[in-house]
Amino acid sequence: MASLRLLLLLSLVAFINAKLGRQSESAIDELERYIQEKKAEINQRYRLHYHVSAPVGWINDPNGFSVYKGEYHLFYQFYPYDTVWGPMHWGHVVSPDLVNWQWLRTALLPEEEYCFSGSAVVDNDTLVLMYTAHIEDEDEDGFDQTQYLAFSDDGERFTKYEGNPVIPRPENGSPHFRDPKTWKHGDYWYTVIGARTIDDRGTVLLYRSPDLFDWEFLTDLGESDGTMGFMWECPDFFELAGKYVLLLSPEGVEPPPGGIYRSHITGYIIGSFNYTTYEFIPEVEFQELDYGHDFYAAQTTERDGKRYVVGWFNMWGVDHPENVDGWAGALTLIRELQLYGNRLLMKPVDDQVTLRQGSTNVTLQTNYGLSFDATGEMIVEGDLVQDIVLELTGNAGGQQVWLRWNSVTKIVSVDRGNGDVRQVDWTPIGSTSWRIFLDASTLELFCGEGEVVFSSRVYPDGGWLVFNRSVQPLQVTAFLLSRSIPV
Ligand SMILES: *[C@@H]1O[C@H](CO)[C@@H](O)[C@H](O)[C@H]1NC(C)=O
Ligand SMILES: *[C@@H]1O[C@H](CO)[C@@H](O)[C@H](O)[C@H]1NC(C)=O
Ligand SMILES: *[C@@H]1O[C@H](CO)[C@@H](O)[C@H](O)[C@H]1NC(C)=O
Ligand SMILES: *[C@@H]1O[C@H](CO)[C@@H](O)[C@H](O)[C@H]1NC(C)=O
């Protein structure tokens, strides 16, 4: 009798789980055990001390950047079982201040669907994830992409909605239909979804819902004229200082005359928007958000009127040297976005300074290298009437990188050697110093007030060594930075 009751109870639990589309918590427990075991085997040489990366395995796009019950939640495209892309999970970190991060248990496991990119909103104290279900199938495209929901009341354990999908792919549309970024305005929820027209031009589609479940298509917010790429990924859309910003990651943008083709870039269009007509009127042409080698798929969140952005700190189609070490991929520092005239400024969040440890002020000499164990922050002051050249490499060799200011062309560049250069012109609007963040395999250069920012992966061995190769002395204030994500 007792066992029959138990059996009934068990089947009831199984029934409820199936009804709620609950992913198996025991499968996640098993994955977490695997992660703990594998984590011990990671080679630490390039492992990051204050940037988010996967505990083990591969990550790409940041997802679900949100504020829930007073904490910042950030998710990422995650494949724990290898250091290359695979069936997508959602990994998860949480932070009180956008600087110190803790890993939480894996949020989404792939089931019939790979859990592609998306966003998070809070409704009735529930953290709601809206993400793309990528399902491989037998039809002529080979896959389908639709939008799914998942819920959590504790910010850690998620239940997939039984009525998924909530947005099917548009009829007669391309199957490329992904990366919903959702927000609330007035009585409605809105979401923007990256897509591709049937004649292979990137576009962003806008939808509206009264309740997150029933969605109606409103309009497209923009579309490539053919030169702006065949697919627009990871759209985001928000108001900033009275303007509207459409952030997007287009694939296949035509390079400027004489420029180099890059398959993936991230940038933004500033314009005006009207919630009655749903018309987005661009006022400033597409501009890149970050000029470094490794920045993609950026996503934002907002709190107390401040808009924060984070990007994937890698790039498609290039080597990820850490992938022989048991991990691959990272997220950038969180930056605050500000509108300044026709452009966005990016600054590290205010609390980033809390990682600073003892500082030194030095004047960099030719034969004197400033050395950092693994991490460092430098404020570099030079005279912009003359050129500036900093050479960075490892205490034990490894990759070299040169940061340059050309006082004649007014161009700043980040040069990883062998022609692997990123550059852009810079007109300081205030401060003329450079703020440089070094982690074990990352470099972020913020020029002035954040008019120009470069994020590049660099792989020095044995920490960093910095030399002045300029014609002028450079004043440097340097800090060691403490760890803000567990080993
Ligand atoms: C939140 O509550 C409202 C009102 O009860 C309901 O309509 C809505 O569906 C709820 N949202 C979620 C995500 O369950
Ligand atoms: C938005 O468009 C409507 C309809 O054309 C118009 O009445 C309204 O003034 C516009 N709002 C703004 C802020 O421009
Ligand atoms: C470095 O220089 C700055 C600015 O001049 C000053 O505020 C700071 O106290 C100095 N730090 C050290 C360690 O000398
Ligand atoms: C910085 O390096 C350059 C080139 O090596 C040198 O000419 C210059 O004097 C250096 N500055 C100082 C202060 O040593």
Side-chain angles (χ1 to χ4, degrees):
M1 205 49 196
S3 64
L4 181 61
R5 219 175 277 143
L6 185 65
L7 202 66
L8 281 172
L9 190 66
L10 282 177
S11 50
L12 187 64
V13 168
F15 173 74
I16 291 169
N17 283 350
K19 190 105 177 81
L20 284 172
R22 178 166 293 155
Q23 46 187 2
S24 152
E25 286 298 329
S26 62
I28 297 184
D29 289 339
E30 199 175 311
L31 169 57
E32 295 309 307
R33 280 194 295 274
Y34 164 86
I35 288 172
Q36 289 313 317
E37 218 170 89
K38 279 292 189 188
K39 211 152 79 122
E41 294 169 19
I42 285 183
N43 181 336
Q44 296 291 324
R45 60 182 175 155
Y46 298 136
R47 202 67 175 139
L48 301 174
H49 295 230
Y50 61 98
H51 289 81
V52 173
S53 61
V56 301
W58 164 275
I59 77 176
N60 53 286
D61 310 357
N63 294 153
F65 195 13
S66 54
V67 182
Y68 181 62
K69 295 183 177 169
E71 291 189 300
Y72 295 96
H73 287 256
L74 182 55
F75 302 80
Y76 45 83
Q77 292 284 284
F78 180 33
Y79 185 57
Y81 301 109
D82 203 344
T83 55
V84 294
W85 188 91
M88 283 289 115
H89 302 53
W90 275 36
H92 189 183
V93 285
V94 67
S95 171
D97 55 9
L98 297 171
V99 175
N100 292 280
W101 296 97
Q102 296 285 335
W103 281 294
L104 296 184
R105 63 200 262 114
T106 304
L108 296 177
L109 290 188
E111 292 176 301
E112 88 271 8
E113 87 292 20
Y114 291 179
C115 305
F116 275 19
S117 286
S119 52
V121 292
V122 179
D123 191 22
N124 310 332
D125 272 342
T126 299
L127 184 59
V128 182
L129 308 184
M130 187 161 174
Y131 66 98
T132 297
H134 172 93
I135 298 177
E136 314 234 307
D137 59 24
E138 302 293 310
D139 78 10
E140 75 184 278
D141 302 308
F143 67 93
D144 196 33
Q145 294 184 339
T146 62
Q147 314 316 321
Y148 275 28
L149 297 179
F151 311 105
S152 174
D153 289 324
D154 66 0
E156 196 163 3
R157 288 172 164 75
F158 290 85
T159 302
K160 293 177 186 173
Y161 174 48
E162 65 175 295
N164 281 328
V166 292
I167 311 184
R169 131 186 184 197
E171 261 172 61
N172 306 319
S174 154
H176 292 273
F177 177 59
R178 57 180 174 265
D179 314 335
K181 177 64 164 56
T182 307
W183 72 97
K184 193 165 198 184
H185 180 88
D187 291 337
Y188 287 94
W189 297 95
Y190 293 84
T191 196
V192 280
I193 300 178
R196 176 171 178 157
T197 63
I198 42 174
D199 59 344
D200 296 327
R201 288 175 297 116
T203 182
V204 169
L205 307 179
L206 176 68
Y207 290 74
R208 185 180 81 162
S209 169
D211 58 7
L212 290 169
F213 298 99
D214 290 316
W215 291 91
E216 62 173 315
F217 172 68
L218 296 175
T219 185
D220 66 77
L221 287 185
E223 197 172 274
S224 167
D225 60 5
T227 65
M228 277 306 298
F230 55 81
M231 173 69 200
W232 286 3
E233 297 196 291
C234 301
D236 197 336
F237 189 62
F238 51 89
E239 188 177 357
L240 194 63
K243 294 287 176 191
Y244 282 83
V245 178
L246 178 61
L247 177 65
L248 63 152
S249 292
E251 292 181 87
V253 171
E254 274 182 22
I260 312 159
Y261 174 78
R262 287 149 59 204
S263 61
H264 295 75
I265 61 179
T266 291
Y268 58 96
I269 299 167
I270 297 171
S272 67
F273 182 69
N274 184 325
Y275 274 101
T276 306
T277 59
Y278 308 119
E279 200 178 6
F280 175 61
I281 302 171
E283 293 169 1
V284 189
E285 271 184 47
F286 180 89
Q287 301 174 75
E288 259 193 276
L289 184 57
D290 182 300
Y291 296 93
H293 296 78
D294 299 285
F295 186 88
Y296 192 64
Q299 189 177 88
T300 74
T301 195
E302 186 263 350
R303 186 184 203 172
D304 300 332
K306 292 188 174 187
R307 179 65 58 173
Y308 301 105
V309 68
V310 58
W312 180 38
F313 209 155
N314 284 90
M315 189 41 68
W316 294 114
V318 299
D319 287 341
H320 303 118
E322 71 270 30
N323 73 4
V324 296
D325 294 344
W327 66 288
L331 304 182
T332 64
L333 288 184
I334 313 298
R335 297 107 187 248
E336 188 185 334
L337 285 177
Q338 288 169 4
L339 183 72
Y340 180 84
N342 280 345
R343 66 198 308 173
L344 294 179
L345 309 180
M346 282 201 292
K347 293 178 190 223
V349 297
D350 294 340
D351 278 353
Q352 200 64 50
V353 298
T354 61
L355 297 188
R356 287 177 178 174
Q357 300 190 320
S359 69
T360 52
N361 286 340
V362 294
T363 305
L364 276 189
Q365 313 280 338
T366 321
N367 294 319
Y368 173 82
L370 182 60
S371 166
F372 297 92
D373 256 2
T375 65
E377 178 186 344
M378 290 187 289
I379 314 251
V380 179
E381 304 272 0
D383 175 4
L384 297 188
V385 172
Q386 294 178 290
D387 291 357
I388 295 173
V389 184
L390 280 178
E391 179 186 331
L392 295 89
T393 185
N395 287 309
Q399 195 171 11
Q400 284 165 289
V401 62
W402 290 267
L403 311 184
R404 296 197 177 87
W405 162 250
N406 184 318
S407 58
V408 176
T409 60
K410 314 287 185 205
I411 283 175
V412 184
S413 63
V414 175
D415 178 355
R416 296 195 297 198
N418 303 315
D420 189 15
V421 186
R422 288 295 152 77
Q423 58 179 46
V424 67
D425 46 304
W426 173 41
T427 309
I429 60 169
S431 160
T432 56
S433 60
W434 284 356
R435 191 169 172 195
I436 300 168
F437 287 89
L438 304 173
D439 203 339
S441 54
T442 65
L443 181 151
E444 283 153 295
L445 166 59
F446 294 83
C447 298
E449 308 289 337
E451 304 87 279
V452 162
V453 179
F454 294 84
S455 303
S456 295
R457 297 297 302 274
V458 183
Y459 298 84
D461 290 329
W464 290 89
L465 197 50
V466 183
F467 294 100
N468 163 32
R469 303 290 187 215
S470 317
V471 291
Q472 58 172 319
L474 298 176
Q475 300 302 323
V476 179
T477 305
F479 306 89
L480 297 180
L481 299 181
S482 48
R483 180 176 271 289
S484 72
I485 185 152
V487 177

